[in-house]
Amino acid sequence: MKRAVNRRRTRPAVALLTAAVALLATGCGIRGTSVPVDAGAAPSRASCEAPEPDRAAEGTGRVRVRIYLPCGSRVLSLSRSMRLPKEQPPPEPVQIARALLEQLRQPPTAAETAAGFSTAVEDWVQVSGPASDDPDRALRLNRPPEELQSMALAQIVCTFGESTAADEHHRVVLGGPESDRDPLKRYTCTEEMRRHPEIAVNSGVLVS
């Protein structure tokens, strides 16, 4: 009999405790859920603010250029000092493209790394001028553009697009190494590409 009485006394106590916990959760604005909640990725500590240009790197024969590097999930522009080829008349588009590609292959500076910048363009990536039947400003990579990492291709398209390697509309014509097998495609660095570099590999338009 004593055990039965104790059980009857315990049940109301448990019910009151459960109700109190539920009331406390409601008062705190907590809503129960049976599914996990995705709060999103943790915020990045990278500032993604382009560091001030290194004035000490400037000198005779060097010019300021804008290149694009990844920071977080985007590609952003920053300024660097670059030495241009000394040929006269002014360098050909392919010479400009090679000099810019060299900048993209270099590891970011300490200041760029601290701000969160990196590069996806690997050392093996090379660029050459147009084949015999190509348009004058066509550029050919040593692999078809769609075989590059999308982030790397976005860097190349956006960097070349702000130089004389592009046409007057800032469009870049790229192809692979074999002119008879790798058709040329025209790429444009859009705001969407800068925000979503993953679209770069599918953004080329065939050059007729």
Side-chain angles (χ1 to χ4, degrees), residues 58-79:
E58 296 181 359
T60 305
R62 301 185 72 89
V63 295
R64 286 238 148 253
V65 295
R66 299 207 69 79
I67 66 169
Y68 281 78
L69 298 181
C71 192
S73 60
R74 300 171 293 167
V75 291
L76 302 174
S77 68
L78 49 80
S79 178

Side-chain angles (χ1 to χ4, degrees), residues 144-157:
E146 57 270 18
E147 292 186 7
L148 271 64
Q149 292 185 46
S150 193
M151 184 72 80
L153 183 58
Q155 285 185 251
I156 292 171
V157 169

Side-chain angles (χ1 to χ4, degrees), residues 35-36 65 80 97 126 132 155 160 168 172:
V35 296
V65 295
R80 275 197 188 160
Q126 298 178 7
S132 57
Q155 285 185 251
F160 288 2
E168 65 273 16
V172 183

Side-chain angles (χ1 to χ4, degrees), residues 129-135 140 179:
S132 57
D133 296 330
D134 290 348
R140 289 196 171 270
S179 58

Side-chain angles (χ1 to χ4, degrees), residues 31-49:
R31 180 175 296 178
T33 177
S34 60
V35 296
V37 177
D38 183 4
S44 172
R45 295 183 180 181
S47 69
C48 290
E49 294 182 2

Side-chain angles (χ1 to χ4, degrees), residues 31-204:
R31 180 175 296 178
T33 177
S34 60
V35 296
V37 177
D38 183 4
S44 172
R45 295 183 180 181
S47 69
C48 290
E49 294 182 2
E52 289 295 322
D54 182 7
R55 301 297 179 185
E58 296 181 359
T60 305
R62 301 185 72 89
V63 295
R64 286 238 148 253
V65 295
R66 299 207 69 79
I67 66 169
Y68 281 78
L69 298 181
C71 192
S73 60
R74 300 171 293 167
V75 291
L76 302 174
S77 68
L78 49 80
S79 178
R80 275 197 188 160
S81 175
M82 182 181 80
R83 188 177 299 280
L84 288 177
K86 297 180 180 180
E87 286 83 353
Q88 294 294 334
E92 294 291 326
V94 64
Q95 295 171 318
I96 298 294
R98 284 172 177 160
L100 290 170
L101 184 61
E102 177 61 27
Q103 290 292 319
L104 295 178
R105 289 192 302 235
Q106 291 179 13
T109 65
E112 291 165 354
T113 301
F117 290 94
S118 61
T119 186
V121 180
E122 300 182 65
D123 289 341
W124 57 261
V125 182
Q126 298 178 7
V127 62
S128 58
S132 57
D133 296 330
D134 290 348
D136 290 343
R137 291 185 180 275
L139 299 169
R140 289 196 171 270
L141 303 173
N142 56 335
R143 286 191 192 174
E146 57 270 18
E147 292 186 7
L148 271 64
Q149 292 185 46
S150 193
M151 184 72 80
L153 183 58
Q155 285 185 251
I156 292 171
V157 169
C158 291
T159 299
F160 288 2
E162 291 199 9
S163 74
T164 56
D167 65 16
E168 65 273 16
H169 301 293
H170 304 286
R171 298 174 301 188
V172 183
V173 176
L174 297 174
E178 299 183 38
S179 58
D180 58 336
R181 295 180 55 185
D182 301 321
L184 294 172
K185 294 181 180 180
R186 183 175 288 108
Y187 296 84
T188 304
C189 179
T190 62
E191 179 65 25
E192 185 179 10
M193 183 184 292
R194 292 190 288 270
R195 290 180 177 273
H196 304 285
E198 65 273 10
I199 71 172
V201 292
N202 296 316
S203 66

